[in-house]
Amino acid sequence: MCRVIAVANQKGGCGKTATSINLGVGLVKLGQRVLAIDLDPQGHLTLGLGFPKNLRVTLKNMMENIIMGIEFDPREAVLHHAEGLDVVPSNKLLTGMDMSLISVEEREMVLKEYLDLLRDEYDYILIDCMPSLGMLTINAMTAADSVLIPMQPQFYAADGLTELLKVIKGIKQRFNPELAIEGILFTMDASRYNNAKRNKQAVRSAYGEQMHIFENSIPRSEAIAEIASEGVSIFAYDKRGKGAASYGKLAEEVLHRA
Ligand SMILES: Nc1ncnc2c1ncn2[C@@H]1O[C@H](COP(=O)(O)OP(=O)(O)OP(=O)(O)O)[C@@H](O)[C@H]1O
Ligand SMILES: [Mg+2]
């Protein structure tokens, strides 16, 4: 059965895209069929996997087809990455979607309707969300079985969590009663510094009873920062490094939690 995971946090630059790519390839390495959805008009997942920014067929077209109720091939937008991950790309043309959804009936359901056409073919669908809690992110959470929350262990990192949890709760009540929290994942972790340790501890004591917090955190790593321009995952770029090891462990943890 397919599990749809929204990788979301309205805070910018906390590692959502890096996690979508590397957890995705990590799961492929464990024999899973994985589709990654780029739900961000910045198109960083698309570009980060080496696809061009001016693609003609993207997620936007697929969502428009759903909105207009026309028959279409849901695989038309699906790209195949050399490392075995499938991708539905996006680019800046997705920018208008947040606004155009406003006038659509059942506007929260559009992405879910699209993914329902694909989910039989995959074990995991990972949705790389944009840094906002707008209509696209609401679509992701309505389509998802769970939300994975990447978070840098900074002093203020947990501030936005209250708001994020409120949105998740609202979506559970109104559109998606089964929505779960996959967990909080610490990213860009520099645990050798005491403040990172302290901040992780603070998040654990504030939220550890309500939700899962991944054992394994993702270290700050030059190699992870570098792959964005290389079009590959950390497993292809630096397979013996600590970045690959940590995303590999995360993939196992996600697989075994299911
Ligand atoms: N573990 C890491 N170590 C070092 N750099 C990282 C790590 N993870 C991500 N980065 C870098 O930090 C920046 C932000 O990461 P990323 O794009 O994954 O965040 P994001 O949450 O998707 O951002 P946005 O909110 O803009 O979508 C990128 O330049 C990325 O290459
Ligand atoms: Mg991103």
Side-chain angles (χ1 to χ4, degrees), residues 135-206:
M135 198 42 77
L136 284 173
T137 300
I138 289 175
N139 263 261
M141 292 178 181
T142 303
D145 297 299
S146 66
V147 184
L148 190 158
I149 308 169
M151 182 191 286
Q152 255 183 285
Q154 291 172 331
F155 188 63
Y156 294 113
D159 275 9
L161 202 54
T162 320
E163 205 183 332
L164 179 61
L165 295 178
K166 217 186 280 172
V167 171
I168 293 174
K169 192 172 161 202
I171 289 172
K172 259 180 93 138
Q173 283 168 350
R174 297 181 55 202
F175 310 114
N176 186 5
E178 301 297 320
L179 181 63
I181 295 179
E182 190 70 35
I184 294 179
L185 171 70
F186 293 117
T187 56
M188 298 181 230
D189 185 6
S191 268
R192 60 183 184 283
Y193 299 117
N194 280 331
N195 60 352
K197 266 189 213 151
R198 239 186 340 259
N199 296 336
K200 284 196 292 186
Q201 199 44 55
V203 172
R204 278 186 202 282
S205 37

Side-chain angles (χ1 to χ4, degrees), residues 19-239:
T19 297
S20 303
I21 291 175
N22 295 300
L23 171 59
V25 174
L27 286 165
V28 167
K29 294 201 168 296
L30 296 175
Q32 305 299 299
R33 298 166 301 165
V34 186
L35 174 66
I37 307 288
D38 192 346
L39 192 63
D40 183 351
Q42 297 181 102
H44 286 166
L45 179 117
T46 303
L47 299 171
L49 286 166
F51 298 109
K53 64 174 164 210
N54 54 358
L55 289 162
R56 199 179 51 80
V57 183
T58 62
L59 177 64
K60 174 187 187 257
N61 309 99
M62 303 295 102
M63 291 179 74
E64 278 172 353
N65 290 336
I66 296 282
I67 291 168
M68 292 185 296
I70 52 183
E71 225 173 279
F72 70 108
D73 172 10
R75 298 204 60 82
E76 196 192 347
V78 178
L79 303 172
H80 307 286
H81 188 266
E83 291 176 62
L85 183 68
D86 279 2
V87 180
V88 176
S90 282
N91 55 33
K92 63 177 190 304
L93 294 175
L94 189 67
T95 311
M97 187 55 77
D98 243 341
M99 287 299 279
S100 31
L101 279 169
I102 289 174
S103 57
V104 173
E105 221 178 296
E106 300 210 308
R107 54 185 172 258
E108 296 83 9
M109 300 289 182
V110 176
L111 183 65
K112 178 182 167 47
E113 277 184 47
Y114 175 51
L115 297 187
D116 281 349
L117 303 173
L118 291 169
R119 61 184 295 157
D120 286 350
E121 297 164 55
Y122 294 96
D123 300 304
Y124 285 91
I125 299 180
L126 303 180
I127 309 173
D128 182 23
C129 293
M130 65 193 285
S132 92
L133 293 171
M135 198 42 77
L136 284 173
T137 300
I138 289 175
N139 263 261
M141 292 178 181
T142 303
D145 297 299
S146 66
V147 184
L148 190 158
I149 308 169
M151 182 191 286
Q152 255 183 285
Q154 291 172 331
F155 188 63
Y156 294 113
D159 275 9
L161 202 54
T162 320
E163 205 183 332
L164 179 61
L165 295 178
K166 217 186 280 172
V167 171
I168 293 174
K169 192 172 161 202
I171 289 172
K172 259 180 93 138
Q173 283 168 350
R174 297 181 55 202
F175 310 114
N176 186 5
E178 301 297 320
L179 181 63
I181 295 179
E182 190 70 35
I184 294 179
L185 171 70
F186 293 117
T187 56
M188 298 181 230
D189 185 6
S191 268
R192 60 183 184 283
Y193 299 117
N194 280 331
N195 60 352
K197 266 189 213 151
R198 239 186 340 259
N199 296 336
K200 284 196 292 186
Q201 199 44 55
V203 172
R204 278 186 202 282
S205 37
Y207 295 98
E209 280 180 10
Q210 302 168 47
M211 66 190 76
H212 181 69
I213 297 179
F214 286 97
E215 271 314 307
N216 166 66
S217 61
I218 308 300
R220 178 172 284 288
S221 126
E222 266 315 299
I224 295 177
E226 284 163 14
I227 54 169
S229 55
E230 301 297 323
V232 296
S233 79
I234 193 65
F235 299 98
Y237 188 70
D238 182 25
K239 70 173 178 207

